[in-house]
Amino acid sequence: MTNTVTGTARSDRKAGPLLAAWGAAATPGALAGTLLPPDAALPVPGGGGSAGFGELLGAYGARALRAVRERAEAEAGTPWPQPLASQYTRYFRDGNRTAYEAEVFERQDRLTRAVLMTLATPGGPATDSERWLDEVADGMSLLCEQTSWCWPAHEDTCRPRGTVLPDPAAPCLDLGAADVAAQLAWADHVLGDRLDARYPGLRERVRQEARARVLRPFVERRDWHWLGLDGDVHNWCPWICGNVLVAALRFGEPGEERASQVAWAVRGLDRYLAALPEDGSIDEGYEYWWNGACRALEALDVLEHATSGALAASGVPVVRATLRFPHLMRLGGPWYLNLADARARPPADQPWHVPYRWGVRLGEHDAVRHARSRRSGEIAATTELGRALLELADPEWHTPAPSDPDLSGPEPGEGSLMAAVWLPGTQVGLAREVAGSARGLTLAVKGGHNAEHHNHNDVGSVVVAVDGVPVLVDAGRPTYTAQTFGPDRYAIWTMQSSWHNVPEVRGTPQGQGPGCRARAVEVADESARFETRMDLAAAYPVPGLEHWWRTARLDRRASFVTVEDAWAFTAGVEPSVLHYLLAGQVERHEDGQVVVRPPDGARAALLTWDPAVATSTLTVRALDDPMLSEVWGERLTRLELRLPGTARGSFELRVEAHP
């Protein structure tokens, strides 16, 4: 089949780490002869449903699907979620994207629960299993009737046409569309024979929709921004390419067309991994690892199975490097170092079986211990279908953990907590007093620049945790709206440097763009101390600013953190202000002292400075957005330290644990 390619993006010729390792084996011609047939291409039992999964599920299935069953039973027989035109148009009218997305997500989640319940229920005529199969058919049919699988915030036909509703004749391939196609492919794979017997014709309709809305647009257009053909590759690329890979393996026309779709998905995965720094770090932060690098790992798992091992990525260095990123970013317990739009306390129900499986495969024991320590043993009621099926089909993951003293202590998985880490690819560092324990102080530092993905203006920011709980914090981000990724992004307070732990230089916050970056970054990691030093001057459009050195130091022997700022101007006497965002209960004890009692019952932090050098004020920021309040509670407090308006000077803040 000859595809008509549209768009003006540059060609994609340079091989990344996957194509460099696989060479001709990843071409359409080779894949046409290598790919397993559709009925065998996905790495879970397929065909008739419960017969294939029964042995795998066993007693674990009943326990793991407890939350799924409870939710499914409660919603069975009730009207399905119905996304409406009025909800879709809200994005274009008032910027609200959640009203429509909530209905779409709930519809897909209900379909996933119905599929899982069908698999977990013994089959046969006139059984309870058929009730769940009817639910599955209803959900699949509703998705086929849905005008667009694209989320309104990503629709690329409305604004050019001056409309507020999508054009079914010009399907937009985004995260939502690719996700639906993959979900339908997984459902078709595990329930295909039973769907044919009870709903003949439904599966063909599903194939037609997936091909028209996803598979053909995927190969016929080269101007999808998420392909990264302009050099800007981000987490959409593996997320979409991984889901398209699943859909192509199941729904692609046999032969050259299917092989071409898979090969183009492979090139997208290759492009994403090539864009990661050698240390595997993610500029979007830990939470986005799950929808970027983890999506790539999941796709590589599927690809290795579908090619009978011909395309295996175990020897690719950046795969091993990025596998380490989640446990390197852990502060302690449920808390992680958050950057950009990520949250410091992200959802715990992630597909932990993915880093576990890769950790076992690559001999990365810290990744294995970390994943095991986060395992809940239960499939969340909102888990994606593919992720749920792969977890259920992995008997090693859901068997009892092997004997490991690191998994039996009061804070399991702490053995994966490194004494210090520095990731030069993103200029992010994290250090704690003692390796293997969250007890005491942890210092995290970020250099980088202000054109990163999901960027916040935060060059030079620091985070300090006590006993693994952040006290000097990065707020994260509020609920997404049209403003979040629009021209007014930095009007949102959480994106501004004024609400990060950085200076405001002579009344001027940090600017945006790749030139607003840390310079002359130095790192020292010794047994007694961890220290970073960087010049922040380039991040501030301030005339006459020669340098603004920021030195952040963890003194392991004396158990305190210091953040020193030293500045030099060619002229002028205007004062600057240091901002520190504090979480928990904040108490001013005396001039030059503030005590912060963090959430989670951790020990307090004592902040001290020289009151003769800087005057201080406290500003309380009430939190009314659940994306923020669910992490930090009702408020955050900003400590403002007004510096003298001298041409040269220095100032030090000290942080230590407070009994």
Side-chain angles (χ1 to χ4, degrees):
M1 176 180 177
T2 301
N3 293 319
T4 301
V5 178
T6 63
T8 57
R10 68 168 176 81
S11 61
D12 177 51
R13 296 178 180 176
K14 185 178 179 181
L18 298 180
L19 295 181
W22 296 339
T27 62
L31 287 170
T34 304
L35 292 174
L36 293 173
D39 286 349
L42 299 182
V44 297
S50 57
F53 264 89
E55 185 177 342
L56 284 171
L57 291 175
Y60 172 77
R63 182 176 70 255
L65 295 176
R66 187 181 301 121
V68 172
R69 180 179 294 277
E70 181 179 340
R71 185 80 168 268
E73 291 285 5
E75 67 198 1
T78 65
W80 278 73
Q82 182 59 55
L84 302 173
S86 58
Q87 296 166 337
Y88 198 98
T89 62
R90 284 199 61 181
Y91 176 78
F92 303 98
R93 299 186 193 282
D94 62 17
N96 182 296
R97 54 185 287 176
T98 57
Y100 180 85
E101 288 177 3
E103 295 294 315
V104 168
F105 297 163
E106 183 53 38
R107 173 181 277 186
Q108 288 185 248
D109 290 344
R110 179 166 172 174
L111 171 58
T112 289
R113 291 188 286 268
V115 172
L116 295 176
M117 292 308 301
T118 305
L119 294 173
T121 307
T127 66
D128 198 38
S129 179
E130 299 307 320
R131 172 171 69 103
W132 295 118
L133 192 62
D134 289 343
E135 278 268 301
V136 171
D138 286 342
M140 294 177 77
S141 297
L142 284 169
L143 288 176
C144 289
E145 295 294 335
Q146 194 170 298
T147 300
S148 174
W149 293 346
C150 173
W151 302 339
H154 305 156
E155 178 60 59
D156 65 359
T157 63
C158 288
R159 295 197 189 281
R161 294 183 297 115
T163 64
V164 293
L165 292 173
D167 179 4
C172 180
L173 177 50
D174 76 324
L175 299 173
D179 187 64
V180 171
Q183 181 184 29
L184 293 173
W186 287 111
D188 183 85
H189 176 73
V190 295
L191 295 176
D193 294 346
R194 296 178 67 181
L195 287 169
D196 274 345
R198 191 167 178 85
Y199 289 93
L202 175 59
R203 296 176 66 202
E204 183 56 35
R205 170 71 188 283
V206 167
R207 277 166 171 70
Q208 291 172 358
E209 297 293 343
R211 290 167 181 168
R213 299 180 190 229
V214 173
L215 295 181
R216 292 191 189 112
F218 178 61
V219 295
E220 289 175 358
R221 284 182 56 176
R222 292 291 189 268
D223 61 340
W224 301 116
H225 71 88
W226 45 263
L227 283 172
L229 294 174
D230 60 356
D232 182 21
V233 191
H234 51 81
N235 70 309
W236 280 37
C237 187
W239 193 345
I240 293 176
C241 287
N243 277 328
V244 171
L245 172 67
V246 170
L249 290 170
R250 186 64 185 171
F251 295 148
E253 294 281 3
E256 180 185 343
E257 180 173 313
R258 179 172 177 252
S260 294
Q261 292 161 352
V262 171
W264 191 232
V266 170
R267 293 189 76 86
L269 296 170
D270 182 60
R271 204 175 301 115
Y272 174 76
L273 292 177
L276 291 183
E278 291 183 2
D279 57 34
S281 57
I282 307 297
D283 61 1
E284 296 145 317
Y286 160 80
E287 187 176 358
Y288 282 81
W289 183 90
W290 296 102
N291 281 326
C294 184
R295 297 281 183 179
L297 296 180
E298 291 171 279
L300 292 173
D301 274 334
V302 170
L303 192 62
E304 182 173 349
H305 172 86
T307 60
S308 302
L311 300 186
S314 298
V316 175
V318 74
V319 170
R320 181 185 295 273
T322 200
L323 177 65
R324 298 169 178 161
F325 186 72
H327 67 261
L328 294 180
M329 293 295 100
R330 191 180 187 190
L331 296 173
W335 298 95
Y336 290 79
L337 175 61
N338 61 309
L339 308 172
D341 281 345
R343 288 168 285 183
R345 191 169 184 166
D349 55 343
Q350 304 290 359
W352 288 101
H353 61 281
V354 178
Y356 170 79
R357 183 169 57 251
W358 277 93
V360 170
R361 183 182 304 170
L362 299 180
E364 289 288 336
H365 304 301
D366 283 340
V368 171
R369 284 194 289 266
H370 182 216
R372 275 286 194 185
S373 74
R374 306 300 287 157
R375 183 174 74 98
S376 69
E378 192 168 295
I379 303 293
T382 56
T383 300
E384 294 174 24
L385 180 57
R387 287 179 162 178
L389 293 173
L390 288 165
E391 179 173 345
L392 291 168
D394 187 346
E396 184 178 336
W397 168 249
H398 54 70
T399 53
S403 177
D404 187 339
D406 185 47
L407 297 176
S408 58
E411 186 57 65
E414 283 199 346
S416 61
L417 300 178
M418 305 287 288
V421 58
W422 174 255
L423 300 172
T426 48
Q427 294 185 338
V428 170
L430 186 150
R432 50 180 51 87
E433 290 190 45
V434 180
S437 175
R439 182 73 175 172
L441 291 170
T442 299
L443 167 68
V445 182
K446 180 188 178 299
H449 59 84
N450 283 340
E452 296 161 340
H453 298 115
H454 290 261
N455 179 68
H456 291 198
N457 292 335
D458 58 358
V459 173
S461 187
V462 297
V463 167
V464 178
V466 177
D467 300 337
V469 182
V471 287
L472 273 67
V473 308
D474 184 314
R477 56 93 172 173
T479 300
Y480 283 160
T481 67
Q483 183 183 8
T484 309
F485 300 105
D488 296 327
R489 174 177 175 86
Y490 294 101
I492 301 171
W493 68 271
T494 61
M495 317 296 183
Q496 301 166 3
S497 66
S498 300
W499 288 94
H500 284 81
N501 299 327
V502 297
E504 187 158 297
V505 178
R506 291 189 168 177
T508 304
Q510 291 185 7
Q512 295 90 51
C516 295
R517 62 173 57 246
R519 300 183 302 193
V521 179
E522 301 173 358
V523 182
D525 181 18
E526 303 168 358
S527 60
R529 70 180 177 107
F530 176 87
E531 179 179 296
T532 64
R533 184 174 185 263
M534 61 188 72
D535 183 10
L536 311 185
Y540 294 90
V542 176
L545 176 58
E546 289 185 344
H547 64 248
W548 192 290
W549 290 106
R550 166 156 283 194
T551 303
R553 181 185 303 111
L554 169 65
D555 187 319
R556 293 188 173 103
R557 289 178 181 169
S559 299
F560 63 79
V561 165
T562 56
V563 182
E564 180 184 3
D565 291 275
W567 59 89
F569 296 90
T570 57
V573 293
E574 297 88 349
S576 299
V577 179
L578 297 176
H579 290 149
Y580 289 102
L581 198 58
L582 313 176
Q585 181 181 347
V586 180
E587 304 168 358
R588 186 192 297 274
H589 277 202
E590 56 185 74
D591 285 349
Q593 285 193 3
V594 164
V595 172
V596 185
R597 303 188 186 282
D600 274 13
R603 285 182 297 164
L606 173 65
L607 281 60
T608 57
W609 63 92
D610 185 351
V613 177
T615 58
S616 65
T617 56
L618 295 172
T619 299
V620 175
R621 182 93 196 198
L623 304 178
D624 57 3
D625 187 296
M627 293 294 291
L628 297 169
S629 60
E630 288 174 4
V631 176
W632 305 117
E634 297 179 353
R635 65 186 180 276
L636 290 168
T637 304
R638 185 173 67 181
L639 171 64
E640 297 143 4
L641 299 170
R642 188 177 180 87
L643 303 175
T646 57
R648 295 179 181 271
S650 64
F651 180 82
E652 183 178 276
L653 176 78
R654 176 167 167 154
V655 185
E656 54 193 310
H658 187 66

